[in-house]
Amino acid sequence: MRLRPLSVNGIEFDALLSENRGYSSDVPDYAVESGYSVSDNISIKPMVLEITGHLTNTPVTWASHGTGRVDEVVAQLENLYYSRQLVTVVTSTDVYPNMAIMSLTVPKDESNKTSRDIRMSLKEVTVVSAQVTTIPASYARGGDTGAGAGTSGTGNKSGSLGGTSGDTAESGRKESEKKASILYNLLN
């Protein structure tokens, strides 16, 4: 097996200093009358990958580069971060497709003028696709008779939306009087 350097979307680092995978899930709690909490679901969250890669202008083991290499790579990584595109991370042992860069830390101090230890935190993104299906006509019918299930809409029974609010209120009052109980109608 040939060892590969760390790469993020084809951008190669000189060394992988650390790689940490984090897994977590949500387990909701529901209180019940007996005073205990119960759980009935486990929701797995996307994996989080934290890596630290080393960059230098004078690599020892990989291809040679010029003196401005570190600044060029940092600019490329910043562009990836701001573009919000999904990236593929390749380490010496694993490949992580569909990763989103959550954080990018580029430390810069006087002791390391020609190299950087860049820390990145990435989250796995689950890519899904929509599926469309045809619903048979029998499901659009209501009850045992197979009659139309009706429609939804607004307006009065005649289907017109015009008129004043007084007309609508008056017709609504007359309809409710017709549907009132016998005892209510006797008292009125």
Side-chain angles (χ1 to χ4, degrees):
M1 178 173 104
R2 179 182 173 266
L3 288 179
R4 297 172 289 191
L6 167 68
S7 73
V8 176
N9 252 26
I11 302 169
E12 286 191 355
F13 289 74
D14 299 316
L16 175 62
L17 301 179
S18 69
E19 173 185 354
N20 298 307
R21 289 182 288 196
Y23 300 97
S24 63
S25 61
D26 282 334
V27 181
D29 289 330
Y30 303 102
V32 294
E33 289 179 11
S34 61
Y36 294 99
S37 292
V38 297
S39 299
D40 65 350
N41 185 25
I42 298 173
S43 177
I44 296 176
K45 292 183 173 184
M47 181 212 27
V48 174
L49 176 67
E50 294 179 0
I51 55 175
T52 302
H54 183 71
L55 276 177
T56 180
N57 285 331
T58 56
V60 177
T61 57
W62 309 106
S64 62
H65 300 283
T67 57
R69 174 176 180 257
V70 171
D71 294 332
E72 289 173 11
V73 170
V74 167
Q76 290 174 340
L77 291 170
E78 288 171 345
N79 285 337
L80 276 177
Y81 173 78
Y82 286 116
S83 72
R84 298 182 191 124
Q85 71 182 33
L86 297 180
V87 299
T88 299
V89 177
V90 179
T91 66
S92 60
T93 57
D94 294 303
V95 176
Y96 304 97
N98 300 324
M99 302 297 288
I101 301 173
M102 292 192 319
S103 68
L104 174 67
T105 306
V106 184
K108 187 176 184 179
D109 58 28
E110 291 302 314
S111 64
N112 285 340
K113 293 182 181 179
T114 61
S115 66
R116 301 277 186 277
D117 291 336
I118 298 175
R119 292 183 299 278
M120 298 176 75
S121 182
L122 303 107
K123 182 182 273 191
E124 181 181 30
V125 175
T126 304
V127 179
V128 297
S129 60
Q131 294 182 352
V132 178
T133 187
T134 304
I135 299 174
S138 61
Y139 287 108
R141 304 290 178 194
D144 293 333
T145 63
T151 59
S152 175
T154 58
N156 57 25
K157 286 195 176 225
S158 66
S160 69
L161 296 173
T164 64
S165 61
D167 293 339
T168 306
E170 182 66 24
S171 65
R173 187 179 59 77
K174 288 180 182 177
E175 282 293 317
S176 67
E177 285 177 0
K178 289 180 188 176
K179 295 179 181 176
S181 70
I182 296 171
L183 180 60
Y184 178 79
N185 285 333
L186 285 175
L187 293 175
N188 288 328

